[in-house]
């Protein structure tokens, strides 16, 4: 029986080609994912391994530079890290030395005024020379370290990227005005920020403190232990010297390094999981192809299997024979997939390096686990997919099988199948509807479970659904193809199980694609409304990395020619209203109505200028207040007061939940967080005003000036980028689905070659045969895609329902144009998939096709 199985594989290798490709692609995705994630993880760990080589103990001040922030968190704001702290820690018996570190965001402009690198990886620090005038952390390759506020040093990669030389003038900025300084030195460093493509700017100590923190403050202190003193022993000496209040994080260098390595491992693990999910989808799609292929092979070899039974083969032997075929195909395909996956991993590493030239690199990592998992997954998926066809093969009675080439499914089996499918689908749809009705994240689990059940139910019901759905396409098929169109319709519904198995692969892909598209479009439209619906301002000025804008920026903008009104949008996050913590947004009353469109249900916007609150309808309802009511306010310093509600407005998007005049917030917040500055131009949004605003910020590379449309476009682009990544990862499963259509049609052509020969004999030409096969492929593809679109939209509607509590005003938006495009592409997929089977069918010899085997 084993020799028979091997001969069958060799005899039908052409028919099994697409199955082998499907398994190979799925396992290649698995192997490529594991190779890529292991390689990137190792490269990042190696790059980060020297980060704490000179650190025995590190003390980090979480509230450095923001006393207000510290008070809001309940931390001790009166005890920052200062020179006195550094000296005290340096005097510890186990400390060989201590240095104060200043660190914070700093962007560097190139010669065209654009930011070098990414905003999230732009950092500034203090140059801390020893008695020899050198800082061991940053050895100078050229020049010397900065000594005053008009000097800076840059890392080698940043200087080379911008073409800066020692002596050049460099423009740098944090969240305030641009600083023009002389480049006095270019240094080398193994700092992970630089190694991963970031920029590092060094200032002298006083300038770094002034720009990045507060005068006299440090963000952290690094201690080096004396020989013979362990890091843990030094840590025990440091803790008692620090004020209580939970403001400081104190860790050993070994613990910090271990934490960083664990964070890198977690990040790569998360990346691996995401990619493996999509690889699993490809393999899941492949299951339908494998099962369909073996089902058709068993049907085509009915007489052969019956003969084996007649000469003494048992049912177990027939079953094992089919499973051995699957095992051989799975093993060969998995090995090919492993080799292809190694290539995919190397390609992904090269692509990542091309997208970010400073991405850590290293040798390709092919772990034993990658080899084992890939081979086991490939074999198991293939064998398990062939199990049901193998069992069916063993159940064929020898006499009945030899007298008939096909064993139609009994009415009873179809009835049982439809009943099970209906129960699964109904249960799944009920769970999805229940989850959507909750309106919050508690409904996500029911929606997820319901989506799984509904998908299984739909798969089971696809044979039942295929007849009426394909029948609807009958008039169109006859109109497009005449007699070949009619034959295509009849062929598509002749074997509902086969049609369903072929269409199911596309159903999975279109369910995911349409669901993601609807969710992305809905979220994008909601965010767009939230941000721009209440905005009358022509421009928004903000820091690219979300930091607080310097008060000087809003002052400069207000003085800019062409500005009719402007206002910083500040935030007071540590306040309580009626004992409930509430984020309060601050605005200038004088330009309020020019900058924002506020829909008041009661009260007046003028109340803002009288020191009164404006609250949203949600806050008013929850707090039981209205216009004229008073609310008790608790400030960050624990003092209390009372504020009058001067008006109630509808949900206001960027307005937030509570509004107060900036002047009132300033009484209790010395440095409130300033997210944006809203600007209204005298002549509207003009190119001249935008340039004037940029000039007012000193052409700061980290400050963005955006119109309402540009804000909208940015949100739209973000959603589009996410969707494109998802589409790219789903492309493999769609490709596998295409192979499934090709495989089914090709085998179906072989199965029906006598019928095709008869059609040719009675006058149907080669063109008609091709049209028949192509239209059959298109109608099956459109059937699977249409079911997938409907299911995907329904699941997306339910998921949107669970997001309503976290995204106010979220409604489901159906992008009809994109959905129609997906349906059209599915039809194109069917047309392309039919090219080879159609040519094969049209090329069959008439006499050899109709003769008796």
């Amino acid at each position: 029986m084993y020799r028979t199985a091997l001969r069958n594989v060799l005899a039908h290798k052409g028919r099994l080609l697409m199955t082998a490709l499907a398994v190979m692609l799925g396992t290649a995705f698995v192997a490529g994912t594991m190779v890529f994630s292991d390689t990137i993880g190792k490269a990042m760990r190696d790059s980060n391994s020297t980060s704490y080589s000179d650190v025995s103990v590190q003390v980090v001040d979480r509230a450095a530079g923001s006393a207000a922030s510290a008070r809001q968190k309940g931390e001790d704001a009166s005890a920052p890290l200062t020179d006195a702290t550094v000296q005290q820690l340096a005097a510890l018996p186990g400390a060989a030395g201590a240095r104060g570190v200043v660190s914070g965001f700093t962007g560097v402009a190139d010669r065209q005024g654009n930011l070098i690198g990414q905003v999230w990886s732009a950092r500034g620090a203090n140059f801390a020379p020893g008695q020899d005038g050198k800082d061991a952390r940053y050895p100078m390759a050229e020049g010397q370290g900065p000594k005053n506020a008009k000097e800076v040093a840059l890392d080698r990669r940043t200087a080379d990227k911008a073409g800066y030389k020692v002596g050049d003038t460099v423009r740098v900025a944090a969240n305030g005005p641009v600083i023009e300084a002389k480049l006095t030195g270019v240094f080398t460093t193994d700092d992970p920020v630089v190694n991963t493509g970031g920029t590092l700017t060094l200032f002298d100590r006083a300038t770094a403190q002034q720009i990045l923190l507060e005068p006299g403050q440090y963000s952290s202190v690094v201690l080096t232990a004396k020989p013979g003193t362990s890091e843990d022993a030094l840590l025990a000496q440091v803790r008692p010297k620090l004020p209580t209040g939970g403001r400081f994080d104190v860790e050993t260098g070994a613990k910090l390094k271990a934490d960083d390595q664990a964070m890198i491992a977690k990040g790569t693990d998360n990346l691996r999981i995401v990619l493996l999910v999509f690889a699993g989808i490809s393999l899941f799609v492949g299951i339908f192809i494998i099962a369909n292929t073996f089902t058709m092979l068993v049907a085509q070899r009915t007489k052969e299997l019956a003969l084996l039974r007649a000469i003494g083969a048992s049912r177990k032997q027939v079953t094992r024979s089919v499973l051995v075929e699957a095992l051989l195909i799975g093993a060969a395909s998995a090995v090919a997939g492993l080799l292809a996956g190694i290539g995919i991993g190397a390609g992904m590493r090269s692509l990542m390096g091309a997208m970010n030239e400073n991405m850590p690199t290293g040798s390709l990592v092919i772990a034993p686990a990658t080899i084992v998992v890939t081979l086991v997954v490939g074999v198991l998926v293939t064998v398990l997919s062939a199990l049901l066809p193998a069992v069916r093969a063993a159940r064929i009675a020898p006499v009945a099988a030899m007298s008939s080439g096909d064993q139609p499914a009994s009415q009873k089996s179809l009835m049982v199948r439809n009943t099970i499918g209906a129960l699964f689908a109904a249960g799944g749809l009920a769970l999805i509807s229940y989850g959507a009705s909750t309106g919050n994240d508690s409904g996500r689990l029911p929606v997820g479970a319901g989506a799984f059940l509904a998908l299984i139910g739909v798969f089971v019901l696809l044979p039942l659904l295929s007849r009426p759905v394909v029948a609807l396409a009958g008039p169109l098929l006859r109109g497009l193809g005449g007699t070949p169109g009619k034959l295509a319709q009849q062929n598509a519904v002749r074997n509902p199980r086969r049609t369903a198995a072929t269409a199911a692969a596309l159903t999975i892909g279109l369910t995911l694609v349409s669901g993601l598209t609807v969710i992305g479009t809905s979220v994008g439209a909601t965010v767009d409304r939230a941000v721009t619906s209440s905005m009358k301002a022509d421009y928004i000025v903000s820091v690219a990395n979300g930091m607080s804008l310097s008060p000087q920026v809003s002052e400069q903008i207000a003085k800019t020619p062409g500005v009719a009104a402007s206002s910083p949008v500040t935030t007071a996050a540590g306040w309580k209203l009626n004992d409930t913590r509430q984020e309060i947004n601050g605005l200038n009353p004088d330009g309020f109505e020019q900058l924002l469109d506020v829909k008041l249900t009661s009260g007046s916007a003028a109340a803002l200028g009288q020191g009164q609150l404006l609250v949203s309808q949600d806050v008013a309802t929850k707090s039981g207040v209205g216009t004229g009511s008073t609310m008790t306010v608790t400030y960050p310093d624990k003092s209390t007061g009372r504020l009058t509600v001067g008006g109630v407005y509808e949900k206001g998007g960027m307005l937030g939940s509570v509004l107060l005049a900036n002047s009132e917030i300033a009484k209790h917040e010395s440095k409130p967080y300033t997210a944006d500055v809203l600007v209204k131009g005298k002549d509207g949004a003009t190119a001249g005003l935008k340039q004037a605003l940029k000039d007012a910020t000193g052409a700061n590379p980290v400050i963005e000036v955006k119109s309402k449309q540009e804000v909208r476009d940015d949100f739209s682009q973000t959603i589009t980028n996410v969707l494109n990544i998802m589409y790219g990862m789903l492309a493999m499963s769609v490709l596998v689905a295409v192979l499934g259509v090709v495989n089914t049609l090709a085998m179906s052509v072989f199965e029906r070659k006598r019928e095709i020969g008869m059609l040719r004999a009675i006058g149907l030409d080669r063109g008609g045969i091709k049209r028949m096969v192509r239209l059959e492929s298109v109608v099956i593809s459109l059937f699977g895609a249409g079911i997938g679109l409907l299911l995907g939209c329904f699941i997306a509607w339910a998921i949107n329902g669970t997001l309503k509590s976290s995204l106010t005003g979220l409604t489901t938006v159906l992008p009809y144009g994109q959905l129609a495009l997906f349906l059209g592409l599915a039809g194109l997929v069917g047309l392309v998939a039919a090219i080879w089977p159609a040519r094969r069918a049209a090329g069959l010899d008439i006499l050899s096709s109709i003769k008796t085997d």
Side-chain angles (χ1 to χ4, degrees):
M1 293 303 295
Y2 295 130
R3 288 196 299 270
T4 301
L6 179 59
R7 283 197 297 268
N8 282 328
V9 171
L10 296 176
H12 302 109
K13 52 184 178 290
R15 301 184 218 176
L16 293 169
L17 176 62
M18 296 302 170
T19 298
L21 282 175
V23 178
M24 188 198 76
L25 289 174
T27 52
F29 202 160
V30 172
T33 292
M34 298 183 73
V35 169
F36 174 69
S37 58
D38 287 342
T39 300
I40 291 297
K42 184 178 184 301
M44 293 183 70
R45 288 193 297 273
D46 291 345
S47 172
N48 204 57
S49 61
T50 58
S51 300
Y52 301 100
S53 57
D54 62 339
V55 179
S56 297
V57 174
Q58 179 175 268
V59 181
V60 177
D61 183 357
R62 293 196 305 272
S66 177
S69 173
R71 288 196 302 272
Q72 292 170 14
K73 297 175 181 177
E75 298 167 348
D76 183 1
S78 63
L81 297 175
T82 63
D83 286 323
T85 313
V86 175
Q87 294 169 8
Q88 184 183 26
L89 295 177
L92 291 172
R99 71 171 186 270
V101 177
V102 182
S103 181
F105 168 75
T106 302
V108 183
D110 60 18
R111 294 186 183 277
Q112 288 72 44
N114 300 316
L115 181 70
I116 299 175
Q118 301 296 324
V119 68
W120 47 265
S121 60
R123 195 164 65 86
N126 62 312
F127 181 69
Q131 293 181 351
D132 59 356
K134 299 179 180 179
D135 187 335
R137 296 173 301 163
Y138 310 113
M140 292 292 160
E142 298 177 24
Q144 61 184 11
K147 297 181 179 179
N148 56 57
K150 293 297 183 180
E151 296 180 349
V152 295
L154 293 176
D155 68 270
R156 165 62 71 191
R157 290 186 178 184
T158 301
D160 289 347
K161 191 179 296 184
Y164 286 134
K165 304 294 183 184
V166 172
D168 288 348
T169 298
V170 178
R171 302 173 71 252
V172 299
N175 65 336
V178 173
I179 299 171
E180 294 190 352
K182 178 181 178 182
L183 181 63
T184 61
V186 176
F187 61 90
T188 59
T189 179
D190 57 7
D191 191 302
V193 171
V194 176
N195 289 340
T196 54
T199 62
L200 181 58
T201 307
L202 296 182
F203 304 92
D204 70 283
R205 184 192 62 181
T207 303
Q209 290 175 332
Q210 178 68 39
I211 295 173
L212 305 178
L213 301 176
E214 298 284 345
Q217 285 191 19
Y218 294 100
S219 53
S220 62
V221 177
V222 172
L223 292 91
T224 305
K226 288 181 178 178
T229 302
S230 68
E231 292 185 352
D232 290 332
L234 182 57
L235 178 67
Q237 295 176 21
V238 170
R239 289 191 186 278
K241 299 297 181 181
L242 298 174
T244 59
R247 172 171 177 165
F248 302 103
D249 290 328
V250 189
E251 295 291 355
T252 63
K255 179 65 165 56
L256 292 169
K257 182 178 178 180
D259 288 346
D260 275 8
Q261 299 284 40
M263 182 176 65
I264 292 171
K266 183 178 180 181
T268 54
D269 286 346
N270 290 338
L271 173 64
R272 177 183 299 187
I273 289 170
V274 170
L275 292 175
L276 285 177
V277 166
F278 287 92
I281 293 170
S282 298
L283 287 169
F284 186 59
V285 172
I287 287 173
F288 292 93
I289 298 174
I290 300 165
N292 206 21
T293 300
F294 276 93
T295 298
M296 296 177 73
L297 282 175
V298 166
Q300 292 171 11
R301 287 158 44 196
T302 298
K303 292 183 180 180
E304 174 189 332
L305 295 172
L307 181 59
L308 289 173
R309 289 294 313 282
I311 63 176
S314 66
R315 288 189 174 187
K316 288 184 179 179
Q317 286 179 311
V318 172
T319 300
R320 283 199 297 267
S321 173
V322 176
L323 292 180
V324 167
E325 290 183 48
L327 176 64
L328 293 173
I329 295 166
S333 302
V335 170
L338 175 62
L339 298 176
I342 294 172
I344 290 173
M348 292 173 70
R349 181 190 61 175
S350 300
L351 178 62
M352 186 69 73
M355 294 172 63
N356 184 352
E357 61 184 12
N358 293 312
M359 190 72 183
T361 58
S363 58
L364 206 63
V365 178
I366 306 171
T370 300
I371 299 173
V372 172
V373 169
T374 303
L375 296 179
V376 170
V377 166
V379 171
L380 277 180
V381 166
T382 310
V383 172
L384 291 177
S385 301
L387 182 59
L388 188 58
V391 172
R392 286 177 179 166
R395 289 178 178 174
I396 299 175
V399 175
M402 294 182 70
S403 64
S404 175
D406 198 4
Q407 293 289 312
S410 67
Q411 202 66 28
K412 179 181 177 182
S413 67
L414 289 175
M415 185 177 298
V416 171
R417 174 176 180 147
N418 294 338
T419 302
I420 294 173
L423 290 175
F424 269 85
L429 295 177
L431 276 175
I432 292 173
S433 300
Y434 166 74
S437 67
T438 62
N440 54 52
D441 55 9
S442 65
R444 292 174 191 171
L445 182 59
V447 168
F452 177 76
L453 291 176
L455 200 58
I456 297 299
V458 168
F459 289 159
V460 176
L461 289 173
L462 279 177
L464 177 67
L465 296 173
S466 63
R467 289 185 181 278
V469 173
V470 174
L472 292 174
L476 180 62
L477 290 174
R478 288 191 293 272
L480 290 174
T483 299
K486 182 179 180 179
L487 291 171
Q489 179 201 356
Q490 293 173 349
N491 289 335
V493 296
R494 176 186 299 181
N495 192 326
R497 291 176 185 269
R498 184 181 304 168
T499 298
T502 308
L506 283 169
T507 299
I508 297 170
L510 267 295
T511 297
L512 295 171
V513 168
S514 59
L516 288 171
T517 302
V518 172
I519 292 172
T521 303
S522 301
V523 170
T526 302
V527 172
D528 179 30
R529 289 195 304 271
V531 172
T532 61
S533 63
S534 57
M535 178 180 165
K536 292 168 67 175
D538 295 314
Y539 290 101
I540 297 179
V541 182
S542 59
V543 181
N545 67 345
M547 287 181 60
S548 177
L549 277 166
S550 167
Q552 294 173 310
V553 173
S554 57
E555 293 170 4
Q556 292 166 340
I557 288 174
K559 299 174 183 177
T560 302
V563 172
S566 69
S567 171
V569 181
T570 62
T571 301
W575 295 28
K576 291 183 178 180
L577 293 177
N578 288 354
D579 293 325
T580 300
R581 187 175 290 273
Q582 187 71 57
E583 185 175 281
I584 299 174
N585 285 343
L587 291 153
N588 291 345
D590 52 356
F592 179 69
E593 293 187 281
Q594 289 179 273
L595 299 168
L596 294 167
D597 182 15
V598 185
K599 295 180 175 61
L600 290 165
T601 58
S602 65
S604 169
L608 201 65
Q610 301 167 11
Q612 296 180 355
L613 292 168
L614 297 181
V615 300
S616 68
Q617 187 64 59
D618 283 346
V619 171
T621 302
K622 291 178 181 177
S623 303
V625 298
T627 301
S629 302
T630 59
M631 301 184 75
T632 302
V633 55
T634 304
Y635 301 107
D637 60 3
K638 308 303 181 184
S639 62
T640 60
R642 296 191 69 81
L643 291 173
T644 302
V645 177
V648 178
Y649 57 90
E650 297 177 2
K651 295 175 182 178
M654 71 178 299
L655 292 175
S657 300
V658 181
L659 300 177
L660 189 63
N662 278 323
S663 57
E664 293 297 317
I665 290 178
K667 293 177 182 179
H668 303 278
E669 295 278 357
S670 58
K671 289 186 176 180
Y673 172 78
T674 303
D676 312 289
V677 176
L678 302 178
V679 180
K680 184 71 175 178
K682 293 178 180 178
D683 300 318
T686 64
L689 177 58
K690 183 173 183 177
Q691 187 59 50
L693 293 173
K694 287 184 177 180
D695 293 342
T697 65
N700 192 319
V702 302
I703 294 181
E704 299 177 329
V705 180
K706 295 181 179 180
S707 66
K708 181 189 290 190
Q709 186 59 47
E710 287 171 331
V711 172
R712 181 181 288 117
D713 291 344
D714 281 350
F715 279 111
S716 176
Q717 187 60 48
T718 300
I719 297 293
T720 300
N721 289 341
V722 172
L723 288 177
N724 286 340
I725 292 173
M726 295 295 184
Y727 295 155
M729 289 192 286
L730 285 171
M732 187 70 78
S733 60
V734 174
L735 177 58
V736 172
V738 173
L739 293 178
V741 178
V742 174
N743 200 30
T744 301
L745 289 174
M747 296 186 71
S748 179
V749 166
F750 176 84
E751 192 176 64
R752 304 198 315 252
K753 64 179 182 178
R754 182 181 300 175
E755 173 189 321
I756 293 172
M758 290 297 295
L759 290 172
R760 291 291 315 283
I762 63 175
L764 190 62
D765 60 10
R766 294 180 186 272
I769 295 294
K770 288 182 179 179
R771 277 201 305 278
M772 177 185 72
V773 176
R774 288 170 184 164
L775 289 173
E776 179 183 352
S777 176
V778 169
V779 76
I780 292 174
S781 298
L782 289 177
F783 166 63
I787 298 295
L789 284 178
L790 293 174
L791 188 57
C793 291
F794 182 69
I795 293 174
W797 165 81
I799 293 174
N800 285 341
T802 67
L803 296 174
K804 287 183 178 179
S805 61
S806 54
L807 195 56
T808 304
L810 177 63
T811 56
T812 299
V813 178
L814 295 179
Y816 294 105
Q818 286 179 273
L819 296 179
L821 176 62
F822 294 152
L823 201 59
L825 289 175
L828 182 62
V829 162
L831 198 60
V832 171
I835 292 176
W836 177 56
R839 289 175 61 87
R840 184 181 179 186
L844 290 175
D845 181 78
I846 298 176
L847 293 179
S848 62
S849 297
I850 62 178
K851 73 178 181 178
T852 303
D853 293 336

